[in-house]
Amino acid sequence: MDTGTAKLYIDFHGRVIEHLGIDMYQSPVAAIAELVSNSWDADANSVKVKLPNNLAASSEIIIADDGEGMTLQQCQDRYLKVGYNRRKDRQSELTLGGRPVMGRKGIGKFAGFGIADLVLVETVSKETGERTVFELDVARLTGESDEYASETLLDVEVIEYSGPDESKRLQHGTTIYLRNLTLKKRPNKDQFRVSMARRFLLLERADEFKVIVNGEPISIEEDVEKIQFSFPADYSKAEMPDALQIEDGWGVEELANGEKIRWQFHFYRDPIHEEELAGISIFSHHKLSQRPFLFNLSGGFGGQQGTSYLSGRIEADFIDDQEKDLISTERQRINWEADATLPLFEWGQGRVKSLLKIWQERRAESKVKAMNARIEPFSQRLGRLERHERRIVDRALTSLARISVISDDQFEDLANAILSAWEGGRLRDLIDDLGQADEMDADALVRILVESRAMNALHAAERVKMQLNLIEGLEERIKNRELENAVRDYIAKNPWMISPEWDTFKIEKSLANLMKLVGETSLDTLSGWKGRVDLVLCAGHQLLVIEFMRPGVTADWDHVGRFERYIFSLREAIIANRGGDFTSVTGLMVADSLDRPAGFTEKLAGLRRQGMDATDWSGLLTKAKAQWQDYFDILFDRAPEDGRMKSLAAAGGSANNTTESD
């Protein structure tokens, strides 16, 4: 027989293809998973999937295995026979190679039509060495063309055929080409590998069956850093269920109906947002039978927030061994109304509930430990609280730790806010209520979060307000000519009065570090420079040198010239001393007033462009006040309806914000 005499046909209603292929397998993962299952049942050692680099008219997806392949007659009797049951045909639940058969319905072969309009099959029989190549066109099969497959046999085009050939038997296997792709976007190969792995439990049999995607094996290796608890491994002795056995990290148990299952559950540190990972998946004979779900559990049980963190797998082969098929056609759902599946359903509900309670307790314990570590830096503050106050705050923090949906960073912020609030005499009733609560509902949590946001903004706003008041006080003293050494010393201790950006900078009370920086150069012997530098601030590798002119002195050309020369000398010293602590120097000179001869204003502008500023007290403090006022306005916007914030704004705060709040 040659290509001219080889005949194949298909004899079913065309609508079957729409229901069994196009409608049910519209994702590349779902469609290709069915074809991989066929490779498993064909006793392949490996199956290679090649995804396209782009979506073009010529793009194709290739699935190639080294399984037993098919003869021409087997193509007719097995592949082109809708509903072919490999198990009944061979009267065994196992393949010739001894594997549990995955396929049952005989329709997975049409899954390719979910993502492609053309399926080309090339197969070489291990038994005879026959090679057959044929093509299926969805337009012909579904009646979109004139050759609608209705009640008559529909010929299938045999593109190539060669008869039995002993030399070709070693080339056995089947390759499926999916062409005229209907995908909307190109599959991501990395995500595809992970998603494909989640549809199978094959890693323990990786030595005999490998799935390769674009040259890389599929993998379901969990990201250990993302998993917080794993069961059954993390059971304590007291928590261990009766009759539970642990094998290779899997729990093995017997259900009420005598059937055995294997299971493994993980709780992640953060909520799971991947649909195919969130929940419990059930597998039969290594293949997905039930997409992730939670055994239809609803509210009303402890630790239910943990359902967002739970992922697990159950291996229940008995479901696929029943005489009646209990798995939906697309292998996404199990019939939980059947007597055979009810024991697993009840076990699943009970096990998930018990683990959620354990998770809740473990989560709280871990947060409390983290809390104790975090509040250690606040030990002095806690020590200043009365004993009964400390107990209330501790209870509140512990209760807060039980709220599972709060991340570690959020918990740290809230814990610090609670301590600050108690110290400030605020929200004490709320904190006490929090300490008394066994569980925190969503409304109470929202209230805490809202209050803490307002509270943090209020704390900062009060500090800003205090600094604004101090600046205003200094302005008044300067107007009254009360600028004395004590005032300058106070500014040295509070550099934020220069600008908010210096609030956390280190103040150099002596010039020792600066002397080391510039080597042998003495600050007091620089030509043309007399007196001492009043203040040096540092931040990282930057120095800010500040000189306060004596009260009553007006800065003129000579003062500015000496100051400029001094800064330039320090910069040269820094350049010469490469590898030192500092890399830049800026300067600020403050006087009662600035002389205004011709050209002096332009000189000052030039200095500012070079990182040196000269200003009077009024200009300096007015600028600082404006910066702090802007900061206050930002804080006000975080809690504009808070009465305490409104009071601060009304007491000399932003006029704009006060008007808006009224």
Side-chain angles (χ1 to χ4, degrees), residues 253-269:
E253 292 190 72
E254 185 174 299
L255 301 177
N257 60 356
E259 300 287 358
K260 283 191 175 182
I261 61 170
R262 298 172 74 241
W263 63 273
Q264 193 176 64
F265 294 172
H266 302 298
F267 285 99
Y268 283 68
R269 296 184 183 278

Side-chain angles (χ1 to χ4, degrees), residues 517 572-583:
L517 169 66
E572 288 180 0
I574 286 177
I575 294 173
N577 187 27
R578 293 181 179 178
D581 294 333
F582 304 106
T583 58

Side-chain angles (χ1 to χ4, degrees), residues 96-265:
L96 293 177
R99 296 174 178 174
V101 175
M102 286 188 184
R104 178 163 184 163
K105 300 175 175 63
I107 61 173
K109 67 199 74 173
F110 300 120
F113 289 122
I115 59 174
D117 286 339
L118 195 65
V119 175
L120 185 141
V121 180
E122 178 183 0
T123 183
V124 177
S125 171
K126 182 179 181 180
E127 180 182 354
T128 67
E130 290 178 64
R131 178 175 178 270
T132 307
V133 182
F134 62 92
E135 184 179 77
L136 298 174
D137 188 335
V138 73
R140 294 186 65 221
L141 297 177
T142 58
E144 294 179 18
S145 69
D146 294 336
E147 298 179 88
Y148 181 66
S150 179
E151 309 240 342
T152 60
L153 302 182
L154 179 66
D155 290 338
V156 172
E157 181 181 1
V158 178
I159 298 175
E160 294 182 42
Y161 173 76
S162 57
D165 186 338
E166 187 70 20
S167 65
K168 291 184 179 179
R169 289 179 58 193
L170 295 178
Q171 302 171 19
H172 59 85
T174 300
T175 301
I176 308 292
Y177 299 85
L178 303 181
R179 296 172 175 171
N180 292 356
L181 301 177
T182 58
L183 299 173
K184 300 300 182 183
K185 62 179 181 179
R186 178 180 62 85
N188 179 286
K189 65 179 181 63
D190 294 327
Q191 183 58 48
F192 182 89
R193 288 172 53 242
V194 174
S195 298
M196 183 63 66
R198 288 173 180 165
R199 288 188 168 251
F200 299 95
L201 287 180
L202 297 174
L203 290 191
E204 58 268 47
R205 306 191 65 148
D207 58 330
E208 59 179 287
F209 186 72
K210 295 181 174 61
V211 180
I212 310 296
V213 177
N214 283 31
E216 298 182 44
I218 64 173
S219 172
I220 54 171
E221 295 179 2
E222 305 289 356
D223 190 339
V224 177
E225 294 182 354
K226 294 182 179 180
I227 296 176
Q228 189 171 25
F229 310 114
S230 292
F231 294 92
D234 284 342
Y235 271 129
S236 68
K237 201 168 184 180
E239 295 166 342
M240 187 82 71
D242 296 336
L244 171 66
Q245 301 292 322
I246 300 179
E247 299 177 0
D248 298 325
W250 288 73
V252 180
E253 292 190 72
E254 185 174 299
L255 301 177
N257 60 356
E259 300 287 358
K260 283 191 175 182
I261 61 170
R262 298 172 74 241
W263 63 273
Q264 193 176 64
F265 294 172

Side-chain angles (χ1 to χ4, degrees), residues 410-566:
Q410 290 171 328
F411 175 76
E412 183 175 0
D413 291 341
L414 290 173
N416 183 49
I418 285 175
L419 286 168
S420 299
W422 190 273
E423 291 170 336
R426 298 189 191 85
L427 306 179
R428 294 205 168 192
D429 290 340
L430 183 63
I431 294 172
D432 196 11
D433 291 343
L434 176 60
Q436 300 297 330
D438 292 329
E439 291 191 16
M440 183 65 52
D441 60 26
D443 291 339
L445 174 59
V446 170
R447 188 159 60 105
I448 289 288
L449 293 172
V450 171
E451 284 286 355
S452 67
R453 176 180 171 85
M455 181 170 55
N456 288 333
L458 186 63
H459 286 328
E462 286 180 333
R463 179 169 174 267
V464 171
K465 189 67 175 178
M466 179 183 68
Q467 290 164 327
L468 282 169
N469 290 338
L470 287 173
I471 292 174
E472 290 173 354
L474 276 176
E475 283 182 318
E476 189 64 28
R477 298 191 70 177
I478 291 169
K479 290 178 182 177
N480 296 331
R481 309 291 294 173
E482 296 179 16
L483 183 62
E484 299 175 352
N485 289 338
V487 176
R488 288 182 295 172
D489 290 342
Y490 184 80
I491 294 175
K493 295 178 181 178
N494 298 275
W496 52 265
M497 287 190 174
I498 301 300
S499 174
E501 64 187 289
W502 296 99
D503 190 30
T504 58
F505 283 11
K506 178 181 178 183
I507 302 171
E508 298 290 351
K509 295 182 179 179
S510 72
L511 301 181
N513 291 339
L514 197 57
M515 292 289 288
K516 292 178 182 178
L517 169 66
V518 297
E520 300 300 325
T521 304
S522 171
L523 298 177
D524 293 327
T525 59
L526 285 173
S527 176
W529 183 267
K530 295 182 179 180
R532 60 183 294 274
V533 174
D534 292 299
L535 181 63
V536 179
L537 307 181
C538 67
H541 299 293
Q542 180 182 1
L543 284 177
L544 173 65
V545 178
I546 305 176
E547 175 66 12
F548 299 115
M549 303 297 293
R550 292 192 307 274
V553 174
T554 297
D556 55 20
W557 281 102
D558 289 339
H559 295 111
V560 170
R562 287 195 298 269
F563 178 61
E564 179 182 29
R565 182 179 177 186
Y566 174 67

Side-chain angles (χ1 to χ4, degrees), residues 78 134 140 317 325 330 378 432 458 460 585 592 638 658:
R78 297 179 183 179
F134 62 92
R140 294 186 65 221
D317 291 343
D325 195 350
E330 80 284 12
F378 307 117
D432 196 11
L458 186 63
V585 179
D592 273 5
R638 295 182 183 177
T658 304

